[in-house]
Amino acid sequence: MNDTEKRGGALVTASLWIVLLGSAAANSIGQFAGLDWTFRMIAGAVAVVCIVLLIIRHLARRKA
């Protein structure tokens, strides 16, 4: 069992994907829904952080 699996690997990965999809949707649909610019930028930043974390997790699993 590697470190990724010890830390609840599948649950964390699934949660990151769900947050990524939600924040990307809020960012892309926000302009049409009339959301504030600040909220859309925060949603975009959350999406970028999720992408980075998913890449890091993928690389960690490949090394293990």
Side-chain angles (χ1 to χ4, degrees):
M1 183 180 301
N2 60 30
D3 286 340
T4 306
E5 291 173 354
K6 288 179 186 175
R7 288 182 255 162
L11 181 61
V12 172
T13 302
S15 298
L16 283 171
W17 276 108
I18 291 170
V19 171
L20 172 63
L21 292 175
S23 61
N27 188 19
S28 62
I29 298 172
Q31 182 176 3
F32 303 111
L35 293 177
D36 186 36
W37 180 85
T38 306
F39 179 74
R40 292 192 330 250
M41 292 301 111
I42 291 171
V46 169
V48 170
V49 168
C50 287
I51 291 169
V52 169
L53 290 174
L54 284 166
I55 290 171
I56 290 170
R57 291 183 60 78
H58 174 71
L59 294 175
R61 275 183 286 178
R62 281 185 50 191
K63 286 183 180 181

